[in-house]
Amino acid sequence: MTMTDQQSGASAVTITDSAAARVAAIAAKQGKPAILRLSVDGGGCSGFQYKFGLADGVEGDDSVAERDGVKLVVDSVSLDLVRGCSVDFVETLGGTAFRVENPQAASGCGCGSSFAI
């Protein structure tokens, strides 16, 4: 499901089926709403880093995408840095993780949790 930017009408963020399913499973296990918050903090090895966490609700300035009853929320400041990205959940031999494919990122780190613009 895509999140729509209300000003331009363009697709802002996409969440995959596997990410939505993983959020639903984690939320059910913790007895929380199935709401994943994606935000961006300064720091990390490349300048900015992605931050994920379960949210208790949607804030007033959040953009919201929904897939299969799971919400992905992004605050207005972070949205400027992740616009056009896709949030996925991947399982590899090295482990499992949420991964952000960000077309705005000029470079990233090896672990995929930080980026530069």
Side-chain angles (χ1 to χ4, degrees), residues 58-70:
V58 178
E59 302 294 326
D61 72 336
D62 285 341
S63 292
V64 181
E66 187 167 350
R67 177 182 294 270
D68 300 328
V70 173

Side-chain angles (χ1 to χ4, degrees), residues 56-99:
D56 292 323
V58 178
E59 302 294 326
D61 72 336
D62 285 341
S63 292
V64 181
E66 187 167 350
R67 177 182 294 270
D68 300 328
V70 173
K71 292 181 181 174
L72 170 66
V73 296
V74 181
D75 65 88
S76 60
V77 174
S78 296
L79 185 60
D80 287 340
L81 297 168
V82 298
R83 188 178 313 280
C85 79
S86 176
V87 177
D88 195 10
F89 181 76
V90 294
E91 297 182 62
T92 66
L93 290 175
T96 60
F98 287 101
R99 180 174 25 189

Side-chain angles (χ1 to χ4, degrees), residues 15-40:
I15 183 171
T16 66
D17 288 333
S18 61
R22 184 63 176 174
V23 171
I26 292 169
K29 190 173 184 177
Q30 295 185 11
K32 293 190 158 208
I35 303 171
L36 178 67
R37 177 168 297 282
L38 167 61
S39 58
V40 176

